[in-house]
Amino acid sequence: MKRIAIIGSGHLGQQIAYHIHHDSSDKVVAFFDEFQPLNTIIDQIPVIGGNQDVITKYQQNEFDVILIAIGYKHLDAKKELFQNLEGKVPFHTFIHSSCYRDQSASIGQGSVIYPGCVIDQNVTIEDNVLMNISCTVAHDTVIGKHSFLSPSVAIAGFVNVKEQCIIGINSTIIDNITMTAKTQIGGGGVVIKDIDEPGLYVGNPVKFIR
């Protein structure tokens, strides 16, 4: 059994803890949260400090591995935290047992894969990525670091999603697409050509909004 700590005790952190507890023998033993008082109990899990306390608490053997549960509105902070902890505190990788993951696929440290996802042949999910329920990533596709895939995203083969991208619920990306870093696709968006400029894109097909 691994003792897991989660940075972020909000709804996302609570969801991740729920799935870990109901789908593995591991245990979430602590939250870290800048916005909750020390020793607050959330779903029977204590808040034992803020972000600045993670390394010290690890050195004190309070937990074994860490996950970052920061939502899509704060991906810069999620990236910064990951970089600050990398090499100092080991990251957990959680893949729900209901997922299909081809044996050739690679999933990076700190990533969280929710129930019902499909990860096909030669797919690379890089570090610190979150894939929400029922996402499909087809063969030879790369999902860049610190990205966030909302529920039921469908990504075809040979797609390259760069880091810190947000793919909205029920979005579709056709094959052979490259998407630059810090791109956001609104819910239900359909991507049919490369995206070279960061920003928010919505519609079918998607168009740049801002």
Side-chain angles (χ1 to χ4, degrees), residues 49-76:
N51 299 344
Q52 73 281 356
D53 301 310
V54 173
I55 293 173
T56 299
K57 293 294 186 180
Y58 172 69
Q59 292 170 342
Q60 294 172 348
N61 197 33
E62 296 273 350
F63 64 94
D64 301 318
V65 288
I66 194 83
L67 282 171
I68 301 174
I70 294 178
Y72 64 87
K73 293 183 179 180
H74 304 286
L75 293 187
D76 285 338

Side-chain angles (χ1 to χ4, degrees), residues 12-28:
L12 185 62
Q14 294 170 41
Q15 287 172 10
I16 292 170
Y18 174 89
H19 287 307
I20 289 170
H21 288 159
H22 286 80
D23 193 61
S24 76
S25 60
D26 299 324
K27 185 173 179 61
V28 177

Side-chain angles (χ1 to χ4, degrees), residues 23-43:
D23 193 61
S24 76
S25 60
D26 299 324
K27 185 173 179 61
V28 177
V29 297
F31 286 121
F32 291 93
D33 199 310
E34 296 284 281
F35 305 102
Q36 291 286 354
L38 188 66
N39 298 321
T40 299
I41 304 297
I42 299 172
D43 286 349

